[in-house]
Amino acid sequence: MGLDQYVNTFGVACKQRFGEKLKKLTIDAKFTCPNRDGTLGRGGCTYCNVASFSYEHGTELSIPEQLNKGRERFAGRTSKYIAYFQAYTSTYDEYKVLKAKYDEAIIDPDIVGLCVGTRPDCVSDDVIELLAGYQARGIDVWLELGLQSASDKTLKRINRGHTLADYLDTVTRARAKGIKVCTHLILGLPGEEHQDYLNSLHAVLQAGVDGLKLHPLHIVEGSTMAKAWRSSRISLLSMEDYAYSVGEMIRYTPKEIIFHRVTAYAKKPILLAPDWCAYRWNGLVAIVDDLKAKGGQGSYLISKLKMSSKAI
């Protein structure tokens, strides 16, 4: 594919540290979300249907059974793995419950890393101390924060239930304890355009971040946005426009920051649109072509990245 030639990818970073590219074993630990259980709201974020991105969603398997099943998929490709608590808000429970579930994953001798996906407003100081404790024991820990956009207006529109300030606070507290932060951003959210994506990147870089995940907005069955899309009230990015914006964001990003992902896809029939998001490789090829033509990560001086006059 050639992405590694232009981007500091997670795979390359793992190979440098562990001698091989690690695989993430996704875990559905039966967490929920304050935006679904009534604490903040119900129905979740307007774009969300967790079944579209979580391989193990809905499983009745225990955490060790899920790890073993994931290991079977990657047999012969690696000997070390990362336990990835992906579905819903994986820090949203009592401390003792969280600790028990994380402990159940990292006790596996093949697990050398722990990724915990969550919302910026659901990370207590106790959780940060817990994760810092795992890191002190030699586990490679990543806290994945779903920011999606640095615009509070957009966050309200998509029913996130948190603000940019919540994100900035959690990043500050986590990184002060040495916890690496990977931030998720979605390109193509309603009302946003290319400059808005750069504004979000600028805010994230200013706050301090260790990794990034970029996703195109895609419409999935079961989401609130599916209704708006069916009534033609949402326009989506073409593959070419997405590749252009991702390329620019990569060029503005310092080389030490690790890209865990530069695109995402979902399978039909859960995926409704755009069609190009059903095929992982098409989007990647378009991004690599853009990088090949215009330069890779860190090509632009960071001082060139300025927020527009449009308020965040």
Side-chain angles (χ1 to χ4, degrees):
M1 178 57 60
L3 184 65
D4 293 348
Q5 299 176 47
Y6 305 100
V7 178
N8 182 14
T9 64
F10 186 67
V12 168
C14 286
K15 191 169 184 179
Q16 289 172 346
R17 176 166 182 181
F18 297 101
E20 58 185 304
K21 292 186 177 182
L22 308 184
K23 295 296 182 182
K24 291 183 179 180
L25 304 181
T26 60
I27 297 170
D28 183 347
K30 303 298 183 293
F31 292 114
T32 183
C33 173
N35 210 10
R36 287 179 173 271
D37 69 4
T39 302
L40 290 175
R42 295 195 180 276
C45 306
T46 58
Y47 57 82
C48 185
N49 177 352
V50 73
S52 69
F53 61 82
S54 177
Y55 183 86
E56 299 296 349
H57 176 62
T59 184
E60 295 303 320
L61 298 177
S62 67
I63 288 175
E65 288 171 335
Q66 290 180 56
L67 291 175
N68 286 334
K69 186 177 178 181
R71 202 166 6 221
E72 289 172 3
R73 295 202 310 273
F74 299 120
R77 296 168 63 182
T78 185
S79 63
K80 301 183 181 75
Y81 302 90
I82 295 170
Y84 184 17
F85 287 84
Q86 181 184 30
Y88 290 122
T89 306
S90 297
T91 58
Y92 184 56
D93 212 323
E94 296 179 11
Y95 176 91
K96 63 180 181 181
V97 174
L98 296 175
K99 185 177 186 305
K101 291 183 176 182
Y102 300 159
D103 284 351
E104 198 172 9
I106 65 167
I107 198 171
D108 187 310
D110 293 338
I111 299 297
V112 298
L114 176 66
C115 261
V116 178
T118 189
R119 297 165 51 90
D121 56 343
C122 291
V123 186
S124 67
D125 287 341
D126 285 344
V127 169
I128 289 174
E129 291 290 348
L130 177 61
L131 297 178
Y134 291 131
Q135 187 153 281
R137 290 161 51 185
I139 298 294
D140 193 51
V141 177
W142 282 90
L143 180 64
E144 294 202 8
L145 297 178
L147 174 60
Q148 318 311 357
S149 171
S151 165
D152 282 341
K153 180 179 178 180
T154 297
L155 295 176
K156 184 175 181 180
R157 176 179 286 177
I158 63 176
N159 197 38
R160 280 295 291 173
H162 68 75
T163 64
L164 175 62
D166 293 321
Y167 167 82
L168 297 176
D169 172 66
T170 296
V171 168
T172 300
R173 290 184 293 114
R175 296 186 89 233
K177 292 293 183 179
I179 301 298
K180 298 189 294 296
V181 173
C182 175
T183 300
H184 294 222
L185 295 174
I186 295 177
L187 281 62
L189 290 168
E192 294 204 341
E193 54 193 26
H194 179 73
Q195 184 60 51
D196 296 293
Y197 318 148
L198 296 184
N199 290 350
S200 290
L201 178 65
H202 181 276
V204 167
L205 295 180
Q206 287 290 100
V209 73
D210 306 281
L212 289 168
K213 274 190 176 180
L214 305 181
H215 309 254
L217 175 66
H218 48 266
I219 308 301
V220 293
E221 193 66 78
S223 66
T224 302
M225 275 192 188
K227 300 176 183 177
W229 174 77
R230 285 191 169 104
S231 61
S232 301
R233 290 185 284 119
I234 290 181
S235 59
L236 300 170
L237 288 176
S238 68
M239 185 174 68
E240 293 74 20
D241 286 344
Y242 180 75
Y244 165 74
S245 290
V246 169
E248 290 292 279
M249 294 173 78
I250 288 172
R251 283 183 282 277
Y252 278 122
T253 301
K255 292 183 178 180
E256 66 269 18
I257 294 174
I258 299 168
F259 278 87
H260 291 228
R261 180 181 293 163
V262 297
T263 188
Y265 69 103
K267 295 181 179 180
K268 290 182 177 291
I270 290 177
L271 176 70
L272 299 177
D275 286 342
W276 65 268
C277 284
Y279 307 99
R280 178 187 179 197
W281 296 112
N282 290 356
L284 279 174
V285 168
I287 291 167
V288 170
D289 286 346
D290 178 271
L291 298 172
K292 194 181 301 183
K294 303 172 189 173
Q297 187 169 346
S299 296
Y300 295 160
L301 292 175
I302 195 63
S303 60
K304 289 179 59 181
L305 180 55
K306 303 291 184 182
M307 289 190 295
S308 72
S309 57
K310 200 174 185 178
I312 283 185

